[in-house]
Amino acid sequence: MVVGTPARRSRIRQVLRGLSIRRKIVLVTLLVSLTALLLASGVVVGGGWLISRETLVRDLSAQAEVLSDNCGAALTFDDRKDAERLLSAFHAMPHVKVAGIYRQDGSLLAAYRQNPQVEIPLPPPIRQGHRYLPTRLEVARPAVLDGQVVGTVFLRADLTPVYSFLRILLLTLGAAFVLAIAATSLLASWLQRYVSSPVIRLAEVARRISSEKDFSIRASHDTDDEIGVLTDAFNQTLEAVNQSHRALVASENNYRAIFNGVSDAIFIHDASSGEIVDVNEAMAVMFGYTREEALGLTVGQLSSGESPYTQNRALDHLHGTAHGGTPVFEWRSRRKSGELFWSEVALRRVELGERSRIIAVVRDIDERKQMEKQLQQAQKMEAIGTLAGGIAHDFNNLLQAMLGNTELALTSGPMSDEAVQCLENIDKAGQRASDLVRQILSLSRQSDAEMKSLQPGSILKEALRLLRSSIPKSITFKEAIASKSAVRADPTQLHQIVMNLCTNAYHAMQMGGGVLSIALDDVELDDSAELVQAIGGLSRGHYVRLTVADTGHGMSPEVQKRIFDPYFTTKDKTKGTGLGLAVVAGIVKKMKGTITVSSQPGAGSVFTVYLPVETLEARETPVLTSSLSGGNERVLVVDDEPSVATLCGTILERLGYTARVVTDPLIALEIFRSGAGNFDILVTDMSMPGRSGIELAREIKAIRPELPVVLTSGFSEELISDEPQTPFIDAMVRKPYSQADLAAAIRTLLDATQTSVTPARGMR
Amino acid sequence: MVAPTLAAGLRILCVCASVPFMLLLARAEGGATARASATPVLEDSLIRAAFIHKFLLFTDFPARAFSSESEPITICAWAAPGDVVALEPLENKNARGRPLRVRQLSDTDRAKHLEGCHVLFVGLHSSVQATRSLLAATQGKPILTVGEHDGFLDWNGIIRLLVRDGRMAFEVNVASARRADISFRAQMLRVAEKVVE
């Protein structure tokens, strides 16, 4: 083989490396065959050369022998002609260039020259044997006759026969060469597949596996040689790889499912640089970034940036964790939108693969924070509520005295306009104070309100009646009560809704006046209704719709978003607690309804409350008549607060009743036990030393079961509702009450009692 | 150019070849002097004697011609004394592994004395009749007859010597030879001036 320069060798190696196995096999086979052929050809040519030279010597020697045998006579008889005739035979042998017959003394008898220009050597250069010269062969033989050498025969030939033989040999070998190459190529190309096919199949399988990532593919083989063994080993390895791959995929899927399934955001940081290397889907949702965006961010960009929520502080935490800490801390985070929120971050160092990582689990605790804040407020409110509840009785008694006396003063006789105005202001302030006390009580209440079926229309009317007296004339009142449907609600709370919404509307218009429109109607919402679609949780069906609209200053969208939050208020501190709308929203939600608001700054606001219609037939709520109808029956008034007791007595006297006032429930009980007084009705306070109003009522009813009892109170769970909670109480009147409230309650009871128990009043 | 060289060469060869013959002749003269008187020896005679020797180199006799392996070839001559003398030097030579002997036939019993002769040379001095009777006497015998008469071959002689263009030449009657049970090497026939079948 040709051994080239190193550069050429490396080039050959490069070419060989790029060849397919088929070509390599064919090439190797060809090279081996060619080498063998070349060696064999070399031997054949060399052998042919030697043989043909030897043959030429033999041929020429034979010619000389024949000539020497035949020229004896010519030499003996010195017959040149005969000698020439003998020599003329060489015309037929073109390679014989010169022939001579020499006499014994070396002189020439006859000669033959193919080319007449050539000289005949004299005497013959050799007398016997042969000699090879570079381009010719010379042979000589003695001519012997009867044992005597009579002369010499000399022949000279060129090597044409040798060359011709070699030429034919080479041509034959060349043809054989071509045939052999062709046959070898064909055979090698045909037979190589027995070696290459399994390897190629194996390679193809390997290629498919790596491109399709399908480790279930198997290589097949039909031989039991080394390739068969290799294929089996490959398949076994593949099986092992497949199993571990499946396990890996399952593990990876599990990991991904867990990683992305948790609701907390998970960051994986590089322990040394703090760089974010992976995040889960919850992170994308929580922070508003895509995973790809998140990978390019720093912790600082995800933080509020206000000290201590900065990149440097975050890196401190990460480095602290990298050195063994497992901190959990709260962090002020920043969403893509710029919105800040509270989060709780738990850091832990783990080794993932070869790398040291820090896993940060980030939980959105904004809601929790809000809840905590709300809880604090609620606890504060509860404390206030408890406190307020504790003093509400006294407060209401005071208010009762103030309001009652004011009312009495107003109705006591002619007064100057200025005095009337003053008294009316006192009344309004008192009413406000009364409302406030009731709201505080409502908020501080622990138990759920009692839900019952009622017609909101009647509650609304009553509430409006109360409102009218406290809203200035600059505000025009419009009401449209069309609904007769019943809803399931707590009447007090419904009352509260109306009062709160209307108070808000009134406050919005306080500066310049306006129109306060209140409407109550029935609506049916189907699935296509805009509202149903806009408000999640509101199902289709029949609703009672309460609309409270004002023409006040309106609200910006930002304010609208937060108006239902507790303690959010646009009012100054003297005008509200910020609880009103939060309370309303809470109540509406409890009633399975919804509340919406639409407003434009400067264009007023519209609050709409939807309450689901109660499908059962609504019970008619007894509506207290509000006319100041009096009577002449005898009334026992029991109240431990002397001012209130006196006030009540005065009101009743004015209405024509005969009233006796006691400030001790035990005295009242004694009166009934003794049978003194023959009272037609009992009006008792709830909270009294010695006996509560209910206990008193029970004991008295034991004596006089038919006796109607009116309970008044400024502080009681029961009294939040208008409905009596025990069978011993026939009617309730909240403190502070007006003359009308009291009059109506008493008259209604007395009328009912007389109708059912006793003959008509006139008969007594 | 070659031809003249060859011709010159041949001439030289002829001269060279004749010199020893003449020397031999001179010595033979001395030897022969004892038996015969001084007889002039001609160059032609020497050449004739040489030809007879040369013929023997190419002649195959039948086995019956000789009684033993070593029996010499006897050349009997019926010729002029000069010719016979010229033959005498042949006694020192061999042919076909046998020595040569020369015997001169006597005038009287020449036909009877053919016994033991292998070669019969008849010179020109012999009469036609004598020649023909001698030839007749050789019939059926393995005797190579060599003569010079023009009709020698017609009379069943085997080889006739003649001079052509100044050179000694010969003619062969192969049929006569066959009858005498004598054969020649082909190359000799090739050299012959004429071969009669």
Side-chain angles (χ1 to χ4, degrees), chain A residues 386-406:
Chain A
T386 309
L387 183 66
I391 63 170
H393 177 252
D394 297 335
F395 222 82
N396 278 338
N397 278 341
L398 295 171
L399 283 171
Q400 184 64 61
M402 286 159 63
L403 289 170
N405 282 308
T406 305

Side-chain angles (χ1 to χ4, degrees), chain A residues 69-74 76-80 82 84-86 103 105 108-110 113 145-146, chain B residues 2-3 6-7 9-10 13 51 54-55 57-58 94-97 167 170 185 187-188 190-191:
Chain A
D69 276 354
N70 280 321
C71 70
T76 305
F77 298 103
D78 204 36
D79 187 340
R80 212 180 72 203
D82 184 52
E84 284 175 349
R85 201 169 61 239
L86 285 171
R103 296 189 187 89
D105 59 1
L108 192 66
L109 174 62
R113 286 169 297 181
L145 190 61
D146 201 31
Chain B
V2 177
L6 276 172
L10 280 172
L13 180 69
F51 263 70
K54 287 174 185 176
F55 292 147
L57 295 177
F58 298 97
N94 291 320
R96 316 298 297 256
R167 278 177 51 92
F170 64 94
R185 302 269 292 277
Q187 46 183 298
M188 197 194 86
R190 216 172 48 227
V191 174

Side-chain angles (χ1 to χ4, degrees), chain A residues 142-324:
Chain A
V144 178
L145 190 61
D146 201 31
Q148 294 289 311
V149 174
V150 293
T152 302
V153 167
F154 173 78
L155 297 180
R156 178 187 289 164
D158 66 8
L159 303 182
T160 317
V162 175
Y163 296 141
S164 298
F165 175 74
L166 284 180
R167 193 162 58 242
I168 291 166
L169 190 65
L170 284 173
L171 279 173
T172 312
L173 282 172
F177 222 77
V178 171
L179 274 174
I181 288 171
T184 306
S185 301
L186 281 173
L187 261 178
S189 301
W190 185 54
L191 292 176
Q192 54 78 26
R193 59 204 171 92
Y194 290 107
V195 179
S196 67
S197 290
V199 176
I200 289 166
R201 275 208 301 274
L202 198 59
E204 174 60 19
V205 168
R207 192 195 60 72
R208 272 180 60 203
I209 288 164
S210 70
S211 70
E212 296 171 18
K213 299 279 175 280
D214 180 358
F215 294 101
S216 64
I217 300 172
R218 291 288 175 276
S220 64
H221 65 89
D222 38 26
T223 57
D224 294 324
D225 55 6
E226 287 84 346
I227 291 170
V229 173
L230 178 65
T231 307
D232 285 339
F234 179 72
N235 283 341
Q236 282 164 12
T237 309
L238 212 55
E239 181 58 35
V241 170
N242 190 21
Q243 279 177 5
S244 67
H245 176 72
R246 275 205 299 265
L248 197 66
V249 167
S251 167
E252 169 71 13
N253 287 343
N254 289 346
Y255 158 69
R256 278 286 151 200
I258 294 166
F259 186 62
N260 286 321
V262 293
S263 53
D264 293 338
I266 298 176
F267 292 79
I268 296 174
H269 296 275
D270 183 77
S272 51
S273 68
E275 188 188 340
I276 298 171
V277 294
D278 200 4
V279 296
N280 67 348
E281 285 172 7
M283 184 274 164
V285 173
M286 190 181 291
F287 284 83
Y289 288 101
T290 65
R291 182 175 172 277
E292 287 67 33
E293 288 171 335
L295 297 186
L297 296 175
T298 63
V299 180
Q301 288 169 300
L302 295 167
S303 306
S304 76
E306 307 151 5
S307 179
Y309 308 114
T310 60
Q311 168 76 2
N312 286 341
R313 188 81 188 96
L315 287 179
D316 287 347
H317 278 301
L318 290 172
H319 289 148
T321 309
H323 292 92

Side-chain angles (χ1 to χ4, degrees), chain A residues 480-500:
Chain A
I481 298 172
S483 171
K484 295 278 184 195
S485 299
V487 297
R488 190 153 187 85
D490 179 299
T492 312
Q493 288 183 338
L494 197 58
H495 195 268
Q496 203 174 349
I497 290 170
V498 177
M499 294 300 285
N500 281 355

